[in-house]
Amino acid sequence: MKRKVMAQVLVGIDADSVLAGARRFKTVLVGELARRSLAGAVEVSETGPVGPVGPGVSLVVYPRGEVYAGLEEPEIPLFVEEVLVKGRSWDRKLVPAGKAGRGPAPAPADSRRRQHYGRIVLENCGLIDPGDIHEYIGRDGYRALGEALSGSTPGGVIEKIEKAGLRGRGGAGFPTALKWRYTAAGQGEKVLICNADEGEPGTFKDRLIMEGDPHRVVEGMALAAFAIGARTGYIYIRGEYGLSLERLGKAVSDARSAGLLGRDIFGSGFDLDIELRLGAGSYVCGEETALINSMEGCRGEPRLKPPFPAESGFLGRPTCVNNVETLANVPPIVLRGPEWFRAFGTPGTPGTKVYTILGHVRRPGLVEVPMGTSLREIIFDYGGGVFPGDFKMAHLGGTAGDIMSREALDLPLAFETLQEAGHNLGSGAVLVMNESVGLPDFLACCLRFFRHESCGHCTPCRIGCRRLHESFVRLARGRGYEDELATIAGLAAGLKETAFCPMGQSVAAPIESALRYFRPELEAGVEPGRKRPRRRERGFRPAGMPGAGRT
Amino acid sequence: MNRVLEAVGRHGRDRRRLLSILHEVQAGHPGNYLCPEDLAAAASALGMAVSEIRSIASFYTMFSFRPRGRHLVRVCESPPCHVMGATGVLEELRRVLGVREGETTADGMFTLEASSCLGLCGVAPAMMIDGESFGNLTPEGIRSVIDRFRARAEKERGAR
């Protein structure tokens, strides 16, 4: 007779915990349970990332829903004894309720726009086994798709997304419904692409969504494809994301076997198949037209817009490119309605945002909070505060984002509020830095990244990033020319105005925000009286030619 | 040569599948790179010019035209890892392996590469050796990571 399951242990498996030994931990735990004849009474399964609970192996134990973090292999017998045999809470490694971003958080001082807690995109992460389609279905998975296909129309789905006010979570914040409408109105066969080429440094939210709840992405894609009338969907995933590729690949093939992809889904006559495409290491491929070029087997350089992809994209077909997080928001909106969604976030940007908190914080990791949450709350409430040292600055939204000083800590983070303040939300990275980080050196590192990743298509970005990198290296050494800051500001403005694609234009963001908040520190890198050498016509006269070396 | 025909067989004679084909061809080469013969074979199989394939492949950092070691060490040097001390880690790797970025150790075991963000920023500074991730690195810990990896890899080779 099968014994009744008394408890369930979910081991958080993601790229970070795997390298802390989570898979081996699970094996040893199962062994220990068998040794105590608890194999039938305690069920051990894998789940996705558990939340921002710190490094190491993390577990969720049901029925009490307790989260344990930072566990090590030698502690397993004690853990089993205390928690699973005696049924006590084991305070030593227990994460206090609310800290893991699940359950009600402590009541905030300003509850005006934050009546609602809980997660949307990550609601299943850390709760279900991402490899098991039944666990997703058991939590209302694929219900939105079933209801849409049987009782709604493509127009009906678009209308729900429009009323919900969903905006693209890739960084630009473009209204999703509008993109879908444009694509749906295009001529010929439509194509849907899920942009999983997450290359913005500091951003790994999409990886954790794909690792923790891959079926949500598949269902979101199915709904989007239904809305725009596409029969083919692609997931363009970056080459480094091995575990995401594995989990999404399994999710797509399981959905196909279950009849949730393929021909005549739910007997509605709607066909959809999803294919995975692997990137090969290029930052600019996160830009939608560059991504499309890459999918066609070309160099991943951006295309001139217009025509926009909605008109002519992949193979000249009307194409809609959506970010992973955007698509993950779609099933719950379709299922629970726009009103429910609008209860989260701000009027201009309803919903939640997934942030990755990193750098000098006590608890680096991933958190989902309502739009409008301030940097202060994210860093100090969820990230556990600055450690070591004191707060100096935060780089918001990845390398192509703004550098925020102390005075920007209380700005509500939403597309419209940040725009008003002259900032951008970006991709969701929050890189926290203490006073040990020198700004010129940090910017030199940012520009080294842009210089390397510039695709070379347009001159402002190809040459501008190189010159800017050189400037910041000089400033970091205290050897800046006396006109260095003016040159930097000019180049940044030039990039913003004239670079060919949004990637090149966004190089200006960290520079301009740094000039705005930290000008004195940059000025300190200038060597008084150091003049820029007079321009030589290098390159026009190869060495040895008459006139070479003369000014 | 065969690996090119096999990869083309799996993906079809479709130049749009070039990246997937090149991924497989490169992984199948003992030198972990795209050799001139493979490029020529891919060009003729797909009806493209070799120069065209080189132009496309050279755009992407994951492809190499130079032979590489059996294991690829990629150290992230993007800002999040930088502020957490990636520079010291990279310097120590250069010392321990005795090579600079882009070079291969004399025994053909490791190639060192500096990389853009690997998406492991939660455990910065981080690196990957082949598909395996290593995080929370310190200069002091690098030698033991490399030694352990080397010992394991040699054991696996011995077992084969």
Side-chain angles (χ1 to χ4, degrees):
Chain A
M1 196 182 90
K2 201 181 166 200
R3 278 168 67 183
K4 189 165 167 273
V5 175
M6 312 283 287
Q8 195 187 15
V9 179
L10 295 166
V11 185
I13 300 282
D14 58 58
D16 302 341
S17 70
V18 165
L19 77 91
R23 283 243 159 84
R24 203 185 135 72
F25 186 95
K26 185 189 157 198
T27 315
V28 177
L29 177 63
V30 169
E32 176 70 19
L33 290 170
R35 200 176 66 77
R36 292 169 180 260
S37 321
L38 286 170
V42 180
E43 194 181 289
V44 181
S45 37
E46 293 184 6
T47 186
V50 164
V53 292
V57 181
S58 329
L59 309 174
V60 190
V61 182
Y62 286 97
R64 288 205 302 273
E66 289 173 343
V67 180
Y68 291 91
L71 289 164
E72 283 163 34
E73 234 177 88
E75 297 171 331
I76 289 177
L78 199 57
F79 170 78
V80 170
E81 176 77 24
E82 287 293 309
V83 180
L84 299 171
V85 177
K86 294 182 181 157
R88 297 199 283 236
S89 294
W90 192 39
D91 291 342
R92 206 160 82 193
K93 293 289 165 91
L94 182 70
V95 178
K99 289 281 196 245
R102 63 179 69 244
D110 169 23
S111 59
R112 183 171 43 86
R113 54 169 199 280
R114 302 193 47 210
Q115 302 98 349
H116 294 270
Y117 294 99
R119 304 159 153 195
I120 298 178
V121 172
L122 300 177
E123 62 182 347
N124 291 340
C125 280
L127 288 176
I128 64 168
D129 176 354
D132 188 347
I133 188 171
H134 300 291
E135 297 210 4
Y136 180 67
I137 292 172
R139 290 180 57 85
D140 283 344
Y142 291 107
R143 222 180 102 191
L145 181 65
E147 288 182 6
L149 290 187
S150 52
S152 186
T153 59
V157 173
I158 297 183
E159 205 179 304
K160 271 191 179 172
I161 299 298
E162 185 163 52
K163 280 196 179 139
L166 178 64
R167 300 173 71 165
R169 298 295 198 254
F174 190 80
T176 305
L178 210 54
K179 212 180 218 182
W180 289 7
R181 257 192 224 295
Y182 288 149
T183 315
Q187 296 297 311
E189 194 182 324
K190 320 287 193 303
V191 179
L192 174 75
I193 299 174
C194 169
N195 183 349
D197 188 53
E198 188 174 47
E200 189 65 56
T203 314
F204 49 98
K205 62 177 177 78
D206 294 343
R207 167 167 73 79
L208 295 185
I209 295 168
M210 294 184 284
E211 286 174 0
D213 200 3
H215 282 286
R216 171 178 298 265
V217 181
V218 174
E219 188 183 5
M221 285 185 73
L223 285 162
F226 175 65
I228 64 172
R231 296 177 51 180
T232 324
Y234 297 94
I235 306 175
Y236 184 94
I237 189 164
R238 67 178 293 197
E240 287 86 354
Y241 280 8
L243 187 58
S244 300
L245 182 73
E246 178 192 319
R247 292 231 164 120
L248 270 175
K250 182 171 191 317
V252 167
S253 83
D254 287 354
R256 208 178 280 145
S257 314
L260 298 163
L261 288 176
R263 297 203 141 268
D264 194 21
I265 303 168
F266 287 116
S268 65
F270 171 63
D271 306 335
L272 174 69
D273 209 0
I274 294 179
E275 287 181 36
L276 273 70
R277 288 281 190 279
L278 205 58
S282 162
Y283 170 70
V284 75
C285 282
E287 197 278 329
E288 56 182 4
T289 59
L291 186 152
I292 289 168
N293 268 339
S294 180
M295 283 201 18
E296 293 183 2
C298 302
R299 289 167 65 90
E301 289 174 15
R303 295 178 179 175
L304 186 68
K305 293 192 264 193
F308 288 91
E311 208 179 312
S312 169
F314 184 58
L315 306 179
R317 298 172 187 156
T319 304
C320 174
V321 185
N322 284 136
N323 173 263
V324 171
E325 190 187 347
T326 314
L327 290 166
N329 269 297
V330 170
I333 294 175
V334 171
L335 188 64
R336 295 170 205 158
E339 292 311 312
W340 167 83
F341 187 74
R342 279 196 167 274
F344 296 85
T346 63
T349 318
T352 59
K353 180 82 194 86
V354 181
Y355 293 98
T356 44
I357 316 173
L358 31 124
H360 296 129
V361 286
R362 213 170 282 278
R363 283 194 304 271
L366 172 88
V367 67
E368 178 177 0
V369 293
M371 282 284 187
T373 305
S374 71
L375 263 181
R376 186 185 299 281
E377 288 167 280
I378 292 169
I379 297 169
F380 292 91
D381 294 354
Y382 296 96
V386 181
F387 181 82
D390 283 324
F391 180 82
K392 175 177 178 179
M393 56 188 173
H395 201 175
L396 174 67
T399 301
D402 291 331
I403 295 174
M404 313 290 260
S405 74
R406 194 176 284 279
E407 56 195 284
L409 273 180
D410 290 307
L411 269 176
L413 302 185
F415 290 114
E416 75 284 3
T417 49
L418 283 170
Q419 206 167 9
E420 263 170 49
H423 290 299
N424 268 307
L425 183 57
S427 63
V430 178
L431 172 59
V432 180
M433 285 168 274
N434 65 20
E435 327 87 326
S436 75
V437 180
L439 186 61
D441 175 66
F442 178 71
L443 283 167
C445 176
C446 293
L447 265 300
R448 180 181 62 197
F449 170 79
F450 288 128
R451 174 179 173 167
H452 177 260
E453 293 294 345
S454 175
C455 78
H457 182 91
C458 73
T459 313
C461 177
R462 186 179 63 245
I463 308 291
C465 291
R466 181 172 281 261
R467 294 290 166 259
L468 282 164
H469 177 234
E470 291 162 356
S471 283
F472 285 112
V473 167
R474 278 193 296 269
L475 288 177
R477 292 180 184 147
R479 299 272 287 140
Y481 298 131
E482 51 182 15
D483 64 348
E484 203 78 86
L485 263 55
T487 309
I488 287 171
L491 282 170
L495 269 166
K496 200 160 87 174
E497 297 295 325
T498 63
F500 184 79
C501 78
M503 297 281 186
Q505 292 156 17
S506 67
V507 171
I511 299 170
E512 293 191 335
S513 51
L515 283 168
R516 171 172 165 185
Y517 291 118
F518 295 99
R519 196 176 183 97
E521 189 181 346
L522 293 176
E523 276 166 352
V526 173
E527 185 179 315
R530 184 165 191 229
K531 298 239 184 308
R532 192 176 289 271
R534 287 178 60 196
R535 187 187 300 270
R536 288 162 197 261
E537 291 184 19
R538 261 193 240 130
F540 292 105
R541 297 191 186 95
M545 294 251 311
R550 259 188 256 151
T551 48
Chain B
M1 224 56 71
N2 274 337
R3 57 183 163 262
V4 174
L5 295 179
E6 277 170 27
V8 172
R10 265 191 298 277
H11 294 283
R13 288 177 179 273
D14 182 355
R15 57 166 295 169
R16 280 173 292 164
R17 304 307 305 271
L18 181 65
L19 296 188
S20 306
I21 292 168
L22 293 180
H23 266 302
E24 285 180 22
V25 169
Q26 173 167 284
H29 193 289
N32 194 12
Y33 81 117
L34 297 170
C35 68
E37 293 77 22
D38 284 353
L39 287 172
S44 75
L46 295 171
M48 296 170 75
V50 176
S51 60
E52 207 177 348
I53 295 195
R54 280 191 84 99
S55 155
I56 293 165
S58 65
F59 184 85
Y60 299 94
T61 51
M62 286 174 88
F63 298 124
S64 173
F65 298 120
R66 288 200 297 174
R68 294 187 285 190
R70 286 191 292 282
H71 305 286
L72 188 60
V73 182
R74 285 187 294 173
V75 193
C76 175
E77 55 166 10
S78 284
C81 281
H82 179 77
V83 303
M84 299 307 279
T87 312
V89 167
L90 183 58
E91 271 166 19
E92 184 62 16
L93 271 167
R94 283 187 198 137
R95 226 174 50 81
V96 168
L97 297 175
V99 293
R100 297 184 65 82
E101 296 93 297
E103 295 174 352
T104 303
T105 52
D107 60 0
M109 186 82 171
F110 295 108
T111 296
L112 180 62
E113 284 183 2
S115 162
S116 289
C117 187
L118 298 167
L120 297 166
C121 331
V123 289
M127 67 175 179
M128 286 178 92
I129 305 183
D130 304 331
E132 201 176 335
S133 313
F134 297 85
N136 296 320
L137 299 170
T138 58
E140 300 74 40
I142 286 295
R143 184 172 288 279
S144 82
V145 172
I146 292 292
D147 286 349
R148 265 182 289 144
F149 189 91
R150 192 188 286 271
R152 204 184 65 203
E154 271 163 11
K155 207 168 112 194
E156 279 166 16
R157 267 169 75 81
R160 271 205 300 273

